[in-house]
Amino acid sequence: MVEENLPEPQAALPPLQPEPEKPKRHGGQWALLIIAVLALAAALVFLVLRIIDPPASPVANNVERNENPGLDGVIATEMPPAQLQLGDCLRGFDSPLDAQTVVTCDSAHNAQMIGSFEVSGTDYPGASELLTQSEDLCKSVSLDPSAGLDSTWTYHFSRPSQSTWEQGDRDVSCFLSLAEGNVRTSLLPPEATDNATDEDSSEPDNGNSDDESQKAEETTES
């Protein structure tokens, strides 16, 4: 007996196949890799160039002296304290730590560098002890009796601070200055500045020194 109303047989469908994976794009990764390689190459080139041709060291601030000053008597302006020489007469002096205007001693000036000493020792002696040493050294300088030094003059001196001492600084510089007015003569006997000139010519100052702005300063009455 044939059954009625049965669905017609259908052909078997093929099994579903997974869609093939799309190839991944590697363009971005390659770009990053190329950038990294170029950066590494640039760094290596920079390093090689620094080794072959290192940067020049900073030029010392070496102020030239005018050997033939004019009527104003100015030998140098903005002279760093480390370049001052024994006997230098200074115009507009205020502090031994400032850059100075050096002039001839027969032109108007209000201060003079009268002494330069080097203290000995390995360990920092302390601010108080170094102050006493510096004051004694500066007041031991022999001055020209004809200069007419009186109580209107004031001693100034710079000395190593603890920080500059640790950098090798042992220099004490001595100055005498007027609070008001000017003079047109040297406070030192001629032979003192003559000896200083001979020493300076044999050992020229190359301008390399410790940072003067960190040195200690002191003022005392004459």
Side-chain angles (χ1 to χ4, degrees):
M1 179 177 180
V2 178
E3 294 184 2
E4 298 181 355
N5 298 327
L6 292 178
E8 295 181 359
Q10 297 180 355
L13 295 175
L16 295 176
Q17 298 292 332
E19 294 184 3
E21 294 184 2
K22 296 181 179 180
K24 296 181 179 180
R25 296 181 179 180
H26 297 284
Q29 295 179 353
W30 279 109
L32 292 176
L33 180 60
I34 292 173
I35 293 174
V37 171
L38 291 176
L40 179 60
L44 290 175
V45 170
F46 177 77
L47 181 61
V48 170
L49 291 177
R50 288 292 297 268
I51 295 174
I52 296 175
D53 186 19
S57 58
V59 178
N61 183 21
N62 192 10
V63 175
E64 296 291 335
R65 289 173 175 258
N66 182 7
E67 299 298 333
N68 299 296
L71 296 176
D72 59 1
V74 175
I75 296 173
T77 59
E78 295 298 319
M79 177 72 76
Q83 286 184 238
L84 294 176
Q85 299 174 2
L86 178 63
D88 276 347
C89 291
L90 311 173
R91 180 177 296 169
F93 175 91
D94 183 59
S95 165
L97 304 185
D98 294 338
Q100 306 293 343
T101 297
V102 182
V103 298
T104 58
C105 291
D106 59 359
S107 62
H109 60 277
N110 70 326
Q112 186 172 7
M113 182 176 179
I114 61 168
S116 179
F117 300 93
E118 183 174 323
V119 295
S120 59
T122 303
D123 298 329
Y124 181 65
S128 179
E129 175 62 25
L130 196 52
L131 171 62
T132 301
Q133 289 184 42
S134 302
E135 185 173 1
D136 291 343
L137 288 170
C138 289
K139 290 190 173 182
S140 71
V141 174
S142 297
L143 303 173
D144 189 347
S146 64
L149 186 69
D150 57 26
S151 60
T152 60
W153 289 87
T154 302
Y155 280 96
H156 302 259
F157 47 92
S158 63
R159 67 187 191 279
S161 64
Q162 185 169 0
S163 61
T164 62
W165 181 281
E166 292 172 353
Q167 299 170 19
D169 179 21
R170 300 293 186 272
D171 296 331
V172 173
S173 299
C174 309
F175 303 82
L176 272 170
S177 78
L178 282 170
E180 296 181 357
N182 294 288
V183 295
R184 295 178 180 268
T185 185
S186 174
L187 301 176
L188 295 175
E191 59 270 17
T193 52
D194 290 342
N195 292 336
T197 301
D198 294 339
E199 292 175 0
D200 291 334
S201 62
S202 62
E203 296 182 6
D205 187 350
N206 59 10
N208 296 326
S209 66
D210 297 307
D211 184 5
E212 291 287 338
S213 65
Q214 297 182 15
K215 289 177 71 73
E217 173 191 1
E218 191 64 30
T219 301
T220 183
E221 298 298 328
S222 61

